[in-house]
């Protein structure tokens, strides 16, 4: 007999009659059911009607057949009868059937995947073998089931187990049962063994041995347990599962009594010191607490057609010190009684925390209703909202505050409806990714599918505020969705350090609008903001390898026992879309190398967009223009010079934060003597030539942020142009660096590293090496000393590296006051012409100069300087000093007639315009912000 279809294929081979086969199968199923139910009266009635036949009568009716089935796609047909079960395609079943006096049935199958509702069983083996003699209740059967791995799911709970084995052997009047299962990747396992004994008027179940390991705890079953099934009652005697705790106490779940229609009999389930954490392997959180209580059940075994109107149930459950992830919820008390007259469950529940009643709930539950099963009234009094923190701690922490509310709970058990109103008081929360703390208060409205807030006033640590509207929406307390819109007013939006986030970090204060929308585990935060005063943003595009170790150290008080793990906040499930209008109130840094200080920094205007996905992808779009800024030029961790960025310089991003396009002009100011550039040796000794003048190294960065094109230039300003030697030296410098790029690089290097001009070709030859080293060390010491005060200028000249270096040591110290108008200068060595130390030699040459006008045209100068005379030296006469005071008027001109001409000012402007075309126009230094003192280190007061 063969069947072929798109759902399955079957082949039955043997010497048999089809009608006989179908009748025998129906008869066997009926008899197995009667024997297993052990209903003595039903068995007697059945076999009384069945006419027994002698063994010889079956000799001609014996038959044997083999069958094979391939379930190609059996699920559409299977779901008509068993909608909760699905079987993987191409499952194969095979076995044989023997008919006659002895009926034998075997089945062997391997099912790759078996699904029951939301649970899955993988790599399953089924072996069934039964044998029964005709006209007899004697049965011999064996059932063996094995599943390699399992994924047991119930709503949000998922448990992975393995090696599930169930075995039953049915021999005449008893069935031996054995079952075992192991939880994956843990030591948790369970193994139970017992037997069913068919007595003349009842069936007796005994659990013989058990080996249950749950959460490193071993559970045992009481040795004298008995469960007796009769037609109308179930007797339970001394059935308990218990675990011995290290303290010597036991936790136990026990059942004693009778399930019966007789209201004078009851079954009591007792819970004694049961620890909630036994259930943690089945749950996704760490729950703690101790459960005590009882459940009394009466009138449970009614007729199938009868309702539960006669059921009597009385229970009391107490969960002491209930915690979720170490957060104390409190003591949970639940009382339940079945109301026979109205056929519903009376409920009375409460939550007490630290001696205070926080939540009370009274009402009823009616399981017979289709829609309005619940009718509960709940009252919240100072209920702590941080009870929900364990469920949202991926994004929010430090949750606090209380709720006062009165609500009703109606609807179905699987779809409750909450309505009412309340107040949220003294709320607080931290957004982990932004590391920002907020405080809030609001009215609450509970509706069918929402918990709404209106005019929620949110305050940061600086008492700046924002107003939010919206709420949490849900579908029967499933699929929660957050939808909040806020108006911000100079509120904190970022407060992170590098240890929190290596994409970007800093402090941010902003005004604008923000929206939080999405599921709790897939939240989108979008904002349209304008930066406010005090904002500081850092983007470390050069990696974090060079960050100092102190960034990752947490300091606590000496007696503190708190240990905090420091780590970056993960962004899984959170998307950020920030459009920011950048104003000069905000300060930013792009950090190429934090260890050497290779940084672009500054303030400006721009429109920037930051996009951060839950996978950690970071993108930037927009343009930024500097109003002021600086660029740290670094070289081999030794040289660190600050270039001042000119206003109008810009950076543009088109996605990749590391792929910004630069268009930056910057300058480094240095006071340098023009003497190395003067050809006339006699002129080199003049005061005008030896004096240091403002010199700028001009830098232009263009192109890719990570590998820009770099161009240099040099400009000398405010030198006496009427001095022909200085003017010739400057013009020669301009010509040389314009024609010779190598000479340009040499002079730039000399100004940045040695803080001076160098003679042409001074870097050639070995003789220049020692001199360059000496000059380098001298200038480096001068630079370090000058960092003490921006108004203090110190020049150290070590001279040559010989034994007479103390006598050749030169120190020039200059200090400016009153915004640079008063300058006090000390110059010279520490010995006189005879290499002897005296008070005068230590004081040195002192000059005090004051600018009577801001433009410096009118000046007054006082001085004290030593006079050197070779005759006095030969005669061992002490050097004399000269003191003096002078009034000066300073003017620059090209021709003498310009000094008296009305067109003098016009000529000066024309001359400046010519120089302007040859160099970057000098910017008047801006005063530094009080919020970021010395941020742009190179900017100095005039």
């Amino acid at each position: 007999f063969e069947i072929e279809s798109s759902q399955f294929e079957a082949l039955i081979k043997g010497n048999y009659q089809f009608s006989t086969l179908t009748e025998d199968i129906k008869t066997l199923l009926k008899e197995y059911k009667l024997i297993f139910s052990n209903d003595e009266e039903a068995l007697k009635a059945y076999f009384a009607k069945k006419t027994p036949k002698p063994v010889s009568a079956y000799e001609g009716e014996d038959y044997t057949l083999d069958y094979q089935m391939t379930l190609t796609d059996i699920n559409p047909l299977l779901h008509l009868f068993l909608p909760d079960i699905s079987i993987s395609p191409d499952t194969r079943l095979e076995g044989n059937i023997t008919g006659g006096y002895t009926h034998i049935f075997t089945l062997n199958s391997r099912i790759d995947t078996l699904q029951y509702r939301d649970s899955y069983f993988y790599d399953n083996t089924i072996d069934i073998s039964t044998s029964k003699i005709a006209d007899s209740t004697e049965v011999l059967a064996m059932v063996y089931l094995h599943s390699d791995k399992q994924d047991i799911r119930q709503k949000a709970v998922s448990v992975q187990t393995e090696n599930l084995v169930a075995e039953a052997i049915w021999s005449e009047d008893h069935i031996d049962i054995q079952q075992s299962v192991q939880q994956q990747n843990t030591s948790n396992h369970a193994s139970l063994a017992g037997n069913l004994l068919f007595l003349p008027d009842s069936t007796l179940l005994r659990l013989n041995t058990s080996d249950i390991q749950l959460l490193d705890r071993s559970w045992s079953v009481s040795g004298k347990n008995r469960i007796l099934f009769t037609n109308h009652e179930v007797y339970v005697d001394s059935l308990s599962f218990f675990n011995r705790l290290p303290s010597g106490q036991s936790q136990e779940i026990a059942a004693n009594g009778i399930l019966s229609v007789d209201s004078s009999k009851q079954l009591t389930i007792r819970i004694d010191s049961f620890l909630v954490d036994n259930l943690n392997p089945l749950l996704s959180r760490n729950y703690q607490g101790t459960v005590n209580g009882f459940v009394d059940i009466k009138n449970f075994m009614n007729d199938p057609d009868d309702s539960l109107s006669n059921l009597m149930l009385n229970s009391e459950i107490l969960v002491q010190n209930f915690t979720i992830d170490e957060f104390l919820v409190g003591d949970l008390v639940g009382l339940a009684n079945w109301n026979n007259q109205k056929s519903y469950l009376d409920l009375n529940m409460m939550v007490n925390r630290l001696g205070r009643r926080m939540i009370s709930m009274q009402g009823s539950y009616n399981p017979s209703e289709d829609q309005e099963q619940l009718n509960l009234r709940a009252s919240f009094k100072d209920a702590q909202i941080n009870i929900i923190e364990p469920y949202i701690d991926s994004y929010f922490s430090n949750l606090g505050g209380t709720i006062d509310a009165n609500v009703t709970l109606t609807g179905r058990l699987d779809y409750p409806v909450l309505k009412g109103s309340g107040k949220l008081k003294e709320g607080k929360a931290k957004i982990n990714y932004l590391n920002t703390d907020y405080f809030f208060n609001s009215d609450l409205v509970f509706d069918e599918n929402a918990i709404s807030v209106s005019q929620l006033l949110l305050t940061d640590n600086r008492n700046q505020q924002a107003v939010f509207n919206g709420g949490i929406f849900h579908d029967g307390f499933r699929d929660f969705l957050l939808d909040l819109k806020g108006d911000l007013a100079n509120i904190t939006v970022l407060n992170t350090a590098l240890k929190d986030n290596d994409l970007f970090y800093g402090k941010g204060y902003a005004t604008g609008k923000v929206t939080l929308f999405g599921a709790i585990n897939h939240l989108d935060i979008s904002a349209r903001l304008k930066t406010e005063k005090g904002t500081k943003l850092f983007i470390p595009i050069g990696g974090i390898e060079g960050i100092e170790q102190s960034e990752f150290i947490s300091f606590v008080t000496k007696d503190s026992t708190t240990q905090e793990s420091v780590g970056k906040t993960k962004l899984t499930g959170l998307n950020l879309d920030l459009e920011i209008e950048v104003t000069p109130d905000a300060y930013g840094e792009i950090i190429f190398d934090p260890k050497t200080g290779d940084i672009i920094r500054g303030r400006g205007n721009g429109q920037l967009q930051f996009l951060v996905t839950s996978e950690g992808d970071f993108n930037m779009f927009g343009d930024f223009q500097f109003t002021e800024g600086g660029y740290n030029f670094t070289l081999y961790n030794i040289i660190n010079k600050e270039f001042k960025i000119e206003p109008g310089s810009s950076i543009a991003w088109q996605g990749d934060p590391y792929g910004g396009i630069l268009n930056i002009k910057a300058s480094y100011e240095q006071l340098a003597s023009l003497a190395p550039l003067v050809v006339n040796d006699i002129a080199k000794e003049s005061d005008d030539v030896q004096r240091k003048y403002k010199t700028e190294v001009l830098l232009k960065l263009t192109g890719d942020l990570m590998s820009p094109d770099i161009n240099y230039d040099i400009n000398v300003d405010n030198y006496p142009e009427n001095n022909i030697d200085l003017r010739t030296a400057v013009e020669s410098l301009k010509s040389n660096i314009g024609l010779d790029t190598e000479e340009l690089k040499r002079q730039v290097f000399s100004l940045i590293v040695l803080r001076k001009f160098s003679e042409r070709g001074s870097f050639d030859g070995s003789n220049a090496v020692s001199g360059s080293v000496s000059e380098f060390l001298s200038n480096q010491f001068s630079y370090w000393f000058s960092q003490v005060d921006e108004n203090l200028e110190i020049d150290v000249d070590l001279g040559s590296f010989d034994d007479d270096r103390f006598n050749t040591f030169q120190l020039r110290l200059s200090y400016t006051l009153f915004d640079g108008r008063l300058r006090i200068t000390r110059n010279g060595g520490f010995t006189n012409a005879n290499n002897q130390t005296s008070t005068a030699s230590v004081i040195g040459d002192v000059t005090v100069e004051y600018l009577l006008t801001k433009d410096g045209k009118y000046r007054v100068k006082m001085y004290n300087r030593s006079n050197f005379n070779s005759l006095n030296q030969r005669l061992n006469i002490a050097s004399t000093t000269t003191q003096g005071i002078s009034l000066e008027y300073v003017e620059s001109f090209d021709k003498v007639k310009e000094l008296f001409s009305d067109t003098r000012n016009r000529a000066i402007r024309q001359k400046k315009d010519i120089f302007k075309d040859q160099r970057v126009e000098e910017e008047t230094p801006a005063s530094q912000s009080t919020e970021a003192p010395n941020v742009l280190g190179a900017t100095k007061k005039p």
Side-chain angles (χ1 to χ4, degrees), residues 342 344-351 357-365 373-381 405-411 416-421:
K342 297 184 179 180
Y344 59 61
L345 194 65
D346 284 321
L347 298 173
N348 189 351
M349 294 172 284
M350 61 201 73
V351 177
R357 177 76 49 83
M358 293 197 313
I359 302 176
S360 299
M361 185 179 298
Q362 300 88 25
S364 62
Y365 166 61
Q373 297 176 342
L374 297 170
N375 183 17
L376 296 169
R377 299 173 307 281
S379 174
F380 299 85
K381 181 62 177 176
N406 291 292
V407 298
T408 60
L409 188 62
T410 58
V417 175
L418 188 67
K419 291 186 177 183
S421 61

Side-chain angles (χ1 to χ4, degrees), residues 459-475:
T459 306
D460 66 7
N461 287 322
R462 299 157 52 246
N463 290 322
Q464 301 299 316
Q465 295 180 339
V467 178
F468 279 84
N469 291 281
I472 300 175
F473 300 86
H474 57 87
D475 185 21

Side-chain angles (χ1 to χ4, degrees), residues 261-266 298-299 312:
V261 296
D262 187 348
S263 61
S264 64
K265 300 176 181 178
Q266 72 178 26
K298 298 180 180 181
N299 288 9
M312 298 178 63

Side-chain angles (χ1 to χ4, degrees), residues 92-139:
R92 185 177 177 86
L93 292 79
E94 58 184 16
N96 57 69
I97 300 175
T98 298
Y101 180 73
T102 302
H103 290 278
I104 300 174
F105 171 79
T106 64
L107 169 67
N108 307 104
S109 178
R110 181 186 174 278
I111 304 174
D112 181 82
T113 304
L114 175 65
Q115 179 184 358
Y116 176 71
R117 295 183 178 175
D118 293 329
S119 298
Y120 293 84
F121 300 81
Y122 302 103
D123 196 6
N124 308 284
T125 300
I126 301 175
D127 288 326
I128 300 176
S129 177
T130 69
S131 175
K132 179 184 178 299
I133 298 175
D135 303 328
S136 173
T137 59
E138 295 181 3
V139 175

Side-chain angles (χ1 to χ4, degrees), residues 492-624:
T492 306
V493 293
L494 184 68
N495 183 32
T496 57
L498 180 69
K499 62 183 176 60
D500 304 312
N501 184 359
D502 56 16
L503 295 177
F504 61 89
Y505 63 94
K507 292 183 180 295
Y509 311 106
T511 296
K513 296 182 180 297
V514 64
T515 299
L516 290 79
F517 181 82
I520 294 298
N521 59 353
H522 200 281
L523 188 62
D524 295 331
I525 299 180
S526 60
R528 308 296 177 261
L529 306 173
K530 183 179 74 172
T531 60
E532 297 287 357
K533 189 176 182 179
T535 296
K536 297 180 181 180
L537 181 65
F538 304 88
I539 304 176
I541 67 174
I544 63 172
E545 291 80 0
I547 299 298
E548 297 298 332
Q549 185 67 26
S550 60
E551 283 283 353
F552 299 92
I553 299 176
S554 293
F555 294 94
V556 297
T557 56
K558 185 175 181 180
D559 58 348
S560 173
T561 58
T562 303
Q563 295 182 353
E564 296 181 2
S565 60
V566 178
K568 295 178 174 59
T569 302
K570 298 185 180 300
L571 198 61
T572 304
L574 183 63
N575 298 298
L576 296 179
D577 178 3
L578 308 178
E579 290 187 10
I580 301 177
E581 177 187 348
V582 182
T583 68
D585 289 325
Y587 167 76
E589 290 186 4
I590 299 176
I591 304 171
F592 296 96
D593 189 338
K595 193 170 184 179
T596 63
D598 193 359
I599 297 169
I600 292 177
R601 69 188 76 195
R603 303 174 185 272
N605 297 289
Q607 291 286 342
L608 299 178
Q609 183 180 27
F610 294 80
L611 296 177
V612 185
T613 68
S614 59
E615 290 77 22
D617 297 329
F618 176 32
N619 288 284
M620 282 183 64
F621 299 89
D623 300 315
F624 175 81

Side-chain angles (χ1 to χ4, degrees), residues 578-804:
L578 308 178
E579 290 187 10
I580 301 177
E581 177 187 348
V582 182
T583 68
D585 289 325
Y587 167 76
E589 290 186 4
I590 299 176
I591 304 171
F592 296 96
D593 189 338
K595 193 170 184 179
T596 63
D598 193 359
I599 297 169
I600 292 177
R601 69 188 76 195
R603 303 174 185 272
N605 297 289
Q607 291 286 342
L608 299 178
Q609 183 180 27
F610 294 80
L611 296 177
V612 185
T613 68
S614 59
E615 290 77 22
D617 297 329
F618 176 32
N619 288 284
M620 282 183 64
F621 299 89
D623 300 315
F624 175 81
Q625 286 194 343
F626 288 88
T627 56
E628 61 176 325
Y631 168 62
N632 275 24
F633 174 83
T634 61
L635 181 66
Y636 303 116
N637 293 333
I638 299 176
I639 306 304
N640 190 319
K641 300 294 184 180
E642 179 85 20
F643 280 75
K644 182 176 69 174
I645 295 177
E646 294 186 2
S649 299
S650 65
I651 307 177
W653 285 273
Q654 298 176 354
D656 184 2
Y658 306 154
I661 305 301
L662 298 178
N663 184 15
I664 292 179
K665 296 179 181 179
S667 63
Y668 168 70
E669 294 185 3
Q670 174 65 54
L671 291 176
S673 171
L674 297 175
L677 304 178
V678 174
V679 178
N680 189 336
D681 292 337
I682 297 177
K684 286 184 178 181
E685 301 300 325
S686 68
D687 290 340
D688 282 347
V689 172
Q690 289 294 325
R691 186 171 181 173
K692 294 183 179 181
Y693 299 98
K694 175 184 174 183
T695 304
E696 290 181 314
V697 176
L698 306 179
L699 175 68
K700 188 173 183 180
L701 302 174
T702 58
D704 186 80
L705 179 66
M706 299 301 292
S707 56
D709 296 325
I710 304 176
N711 294 294
Y712 300 97
D713 199 0
I714 298 174
N715 181 57
V716 182
D717 202 5
N718 293 332
Y719 66 93
E721 296 182 16
N722 57 342
N723 187 314
I724 189 64
D725 294 302
L726 292 180
R727 184 169 182 175
T728 302
V730 173
E731 291 176 352
S732 176
L733 171 69
K734 284 287 186 180
S735 176
N736 291 336
I737 64 178
L739 297 175
D740 187 351
T741 57
E742 293 302 320
E743 177 64 16
L744 171 62
K745 293 178 181 178
R746 281 192 289 266
Q747 292 295 351
V748 167
F749 176 82
S750 180
L751 286 169
I752 293 176
V753 177
L754 303 179
R755 304 179 69 222
K756 58 173 285 185
F757 283 107
S758 297
E759 296 181 2
R760 188 174 179 85
S762 61
F763 291 100
D764 300 331
S766 59
N767 293 333
V769 173
S770 63
S772 296
V773 172
S774 174
E775 291 173 352
F776 170 74
L777 292 177
S778 298
N779 286 284
Q780 191 65 38
F781 282 131
S782 299
Y783 174 73
W784 288 336
F785 292 146
S786 298
Q787 304 308 302
V788 176
D789 191 323
E790 64 176 5
N791 296 313
L792 177 65
E793 181 182 331
I794 300 177
D795 286 331
V796 179
D797 185 0
L798 296 178
S800 60
F801 285 163
D802 54 24
D803 294 336
D804 197 31

Side-chain angles (χ1 to χ4, degrees), residues 317-338:
I317 303 295
L318 170 62
V319 184
Q320 293 176 296
N321 299 319
F322 181 61
T323 64
I324 304 174
D325 290 348
E326 299 184 359
F327 171 77
L328 177 63
V329 177
D331 296 335
L332 281 60
V333 181
L335 306 176
N337 295 283
W338 183 258

